[in-house]
C-alpha cells in the first residue's frame, strides 16, 4: 500500500491543539496550507517533548550557525483547531532537523506502524534495515518553519499543555475533579 506524505513547506498555520475536557483530551498537530487542512493525533507527552526539543534545536542552531532567535511578533495564535477535525493518522515517531541552507526547522510526524513493537532489540543489521524500510512505508506529515514560526509553535504548545488539569502540590500528578490518590499521603484521597 502506498504511503502519503503531507508536505507543508511552509504552512500557512501549524499548531498543537486539543479536543475534549481536561483529563480526557485528545492532542493534535494541525497544518493548513494550499487549501487543505491535515490533523494528526498524538499523545500529550509527545507534544511536551516536541516543544522541548524544538527549543533545544533553536538554541543549538543559534550556537552553531548564528541563527537569529527573535521573539514572536504579533498576537499569539489562540484560535481553536480548524473543523472538521479528521484524524489522518496517529503519530508514532517525531523527527526534527535544521536545514542550514534555508535556515528552517523541519518537523516530521510519522504514523504508527501496523505491527506490534517487539519486546527484544534486533540482533542483526538485517533486521534494523527492515525496520528502516518499514518507516519509509508509513504516512507522514512534514512541515518547514522559520525560527520565528517555530518559536510561536513552541509558545502555543506550552500554553496548550498548561491548560490541562492542575498538578498536585505534593506529588505533581494531575488532580482529577474528584481528587486523586496521592502517593505522598500514603494513598489517602487529596
Amino acid at each position: 500500500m502506498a504511503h502519503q506524505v503531507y508536505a507543508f513547506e511552509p504552512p500557512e498555520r501549524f499548531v498543537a491543539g486539543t479536543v475534549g475536557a481536561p483529563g480526557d483530551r485528545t492532542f493534535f498537530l494541525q497544518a493548513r496550507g494550499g487549501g487543505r487542512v491535515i490533523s494528526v493525533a498524538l499523545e500529550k507527552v509527545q507534544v511536551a517533548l516536541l516543544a522541548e526539543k524544538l527549543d533545544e534545536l533553536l538554541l543549538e542552531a543559534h550556537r552553531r550557525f548564528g541563527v537569529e532567535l527573535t521573539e514572536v511578533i504579533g498576537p499569539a495564535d489562540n484560535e481553536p483547531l480548524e473543523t472538521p477535525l479528521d484524524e489522518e493518522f496517529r503519530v508514532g515517531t517525531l523527527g526534527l532537523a535544521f536545514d542550514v541552507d534555508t535556515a528552517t526547522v523541519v518537523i516530521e510526524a510519522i504514523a504508527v506502524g501496523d505491527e506490534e513493537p517487539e519486546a527484544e532489540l534486533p540482533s542483526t543489521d538485517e533486521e534494523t534495515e527492515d525496520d528502516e524500510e518499514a518507516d519509509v512505508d508509513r504516512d507522514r506529515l512534514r512541515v518547514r518553519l522559520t525560527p520565528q514560526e517555530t518559536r510561536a509553535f513552541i509558545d502555543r504548545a506550552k500554553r496548550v499543555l498548561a491548560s490541562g488539569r492542575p498538578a498536585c502540590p505534593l506529588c505533581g500528578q494531575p488532580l482529577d475533579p474528584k481528587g486523586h490518590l496521592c502517593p505522598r499521603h500514603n494513598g489517602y484521597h487529596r
Side-chain angles (χ1 to χ4, degrees), residues 100-112:
V100 179
D101 295 334
T102 60
T104 56
V105 174
V106 179
I107 303 168
E108 194 165 84
I110 304 169
V112 172

Side-chain angles (χ1 to χ4, degrees), residues 8 12 31-38 82:
F8 294 86
E12 293 169 11
R32 178 185 71 209
R36 61 192 173 136
V37 176
I38 302 298
E82 295 185 29

Side-chain angles (χ1 to χ4, degrees), residues 45 47 82 103 112 116 133 141 161 166 171 179 187:
V45 69
V47 175
E82 295 185 29
V112 172
E116 291 293 319
E133 288 175 12
L141 168 65
L161 291 166
C171 69

